[in-house]
């Protein structure tokens, strides 16, 4: 809890074996130059080469905070909540889908001896180059529940298997309509309220 959200485990491991990608948190003190600007994207251009392991390593402290929002402590111990986010990476974007839960610290082996709270909060996050938030969440939610059910968070074979299964899905061949699968826009509309028209104008101007 002292160090804030930390990226504890990453799969697949970078081909260059960059160990610095593990255990990254924002407690090290990031400066403004560490963050990338959002690129200017052309929807009709050819997909650029994905960013390398070094660029992803710089993003990890930010991703750890985005995957575990401030309101995570308000969820019930038997509830799996989700959050979506977008981060710039190289010449493109990475789309994050995170499912997080809470568990009693007394029932969790391998818990950190300096854990300051009675509850342990963890998130399972997927980074994708395709914005199929609903489709990925639909698959990630039960995996997160099963991961918490096994209690031992040091056992990551379940997550490795999930990555292998997810990597076989041809997301790039799915229709654009699938991007809206199982997404509830009512919260977005209610949150924007009187700013909804301004957001619509901005989209049309783009």
């Amino acid at each position: 809890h002292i160090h804030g959200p930390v990226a504890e485990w990453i799969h697949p491991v970078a081909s260059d074996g960059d160990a610095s990608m593990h255990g990254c948190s924002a407690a090290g003190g990031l400066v403004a130059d560490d963050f990338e600007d959002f690129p200017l994207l052309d929807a009709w251009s050819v997909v650029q080469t994905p960013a390398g392991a070094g660029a992803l390593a710089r993003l990890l402290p930010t991703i750890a905070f985005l995957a575990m929002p401030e309101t995570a402590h308000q969820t019930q111990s038997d509830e799996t909540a989700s959050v979506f986010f977008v981060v710039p990476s190289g010449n493109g974007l990475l789309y994050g889908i995170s499912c997080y839960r809470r568990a009693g610290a007394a029932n969790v082996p391998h818990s950190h001896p300096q854990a300051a709270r009675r509850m342990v909060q963890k998130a399972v996050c997927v980074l994708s180059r395709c914005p199929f938030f609903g489709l990925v969440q639909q698959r990630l939610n039960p995996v997160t529940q099963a991961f918490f059910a096994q209690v031992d968070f040091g056992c990551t074979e379940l997550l490795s298997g999930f990555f292998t299964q997810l990597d076989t899905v041809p997301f790039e061949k799915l229709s654009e309509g699938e991007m809206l699968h199982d997404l509830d826009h009512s919260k977005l509309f209610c949150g924007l309220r009187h700013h909804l028209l301004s957001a619509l104008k901005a989209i049309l101007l783009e």
Side-chain angles (χ1 to χ4, degrees):
H1 180 63
I2 298 175
H3 302 289
V6 175
E8 297 180 355
W9 183 83
I10 304 163
H11 186 82
V13 179
S15 58
D16 57 0
D18 188 358
S20 64
M21 295 177 65
H22 293 265
C24 293
S25 73
L30 295 175
V31 296
D33 291 341
D34 292 327
F35 296 95
E36 297 185 47
D37 293 328
F38 277 85
L40 297 176
L41 300 178
D42 182 358
W44 302 101
S45 64
V46 179
V47 177
Q48 301 293 328
T49 303
L56 180 58
R58 291 192 298 271
L59 280 174
L60 281 179
T62 306
I63 292 173
F65 266 94
L66 295 174
M68 182 70 72
E70 287 291 331
T71 56
H73 66 278
Q74 298 178 0
T75 59
Q76 301 297 323
S77 58
D78 59 346
E79 176 186 356
T80 302
S82 304
V83 65
F84 306 140
F85 57 87
V86 180
V87 290
S89 180
N91 294 325
L93 299 174
L94 288 177
Y95 304 93
I97 302 94
S98 174
C99 291
Y100 53 92
R101 287 177 65 99
R102 306 172 71 208
N107 301 323
V108 178
H110 307 298
S111 60
H112 199 283
Q114 295 182 354
R117 296 187 176 183
R118 296 182 297 105
M119 305 296 292
V120 174
Q121 300 175 162
K122 292 185 181 291
V124 181
C125 179
V126 171
L127 295 178
S128 172
R129 293 194 298 271
C130 302
F132 291 98
F133 293 107
L135 288 177
V136 175
Q137 181 201 29
Q138 188 180 54
R139 293 166 168 80
L140 182 60
N141 195 297
V143 171
T144 303
Q145 295 182 31
F147 183 58
F148 269 75
Q150 70 182 11
V151 181
D152 185 358
F153 296 119
C155 183
T156 56
E157 284 80 3
L158 175 67
L159 302 182
S160 300
F162 172 65
F163 170 82
T164 302
Q165 182 272 331
L166 192 65
D167 198 40
T168 62
V169 180
F171 287 105
E172 67 279 359
K173 296 182 180 179
L174 298 179
S175 65
E176 293 185 1
E178 294 292 343
M179 293 183 182
L180 304 178
H181 175 78
D182 203 28
L183 293 181
D184 182 9
H185 294 82
S186 60
K187 293 182 179 179
L188 174 62
F189 296 146
C190 293
L192 288 174
R193 301 177 65 182
H194 59 279
H195 297 296
L196 178 60
L197 185 57
S198 298
L200 178 59
K201 289 180 179 179
I203 294 174
L204 294 176
L205 287 173
E206 183 181 352

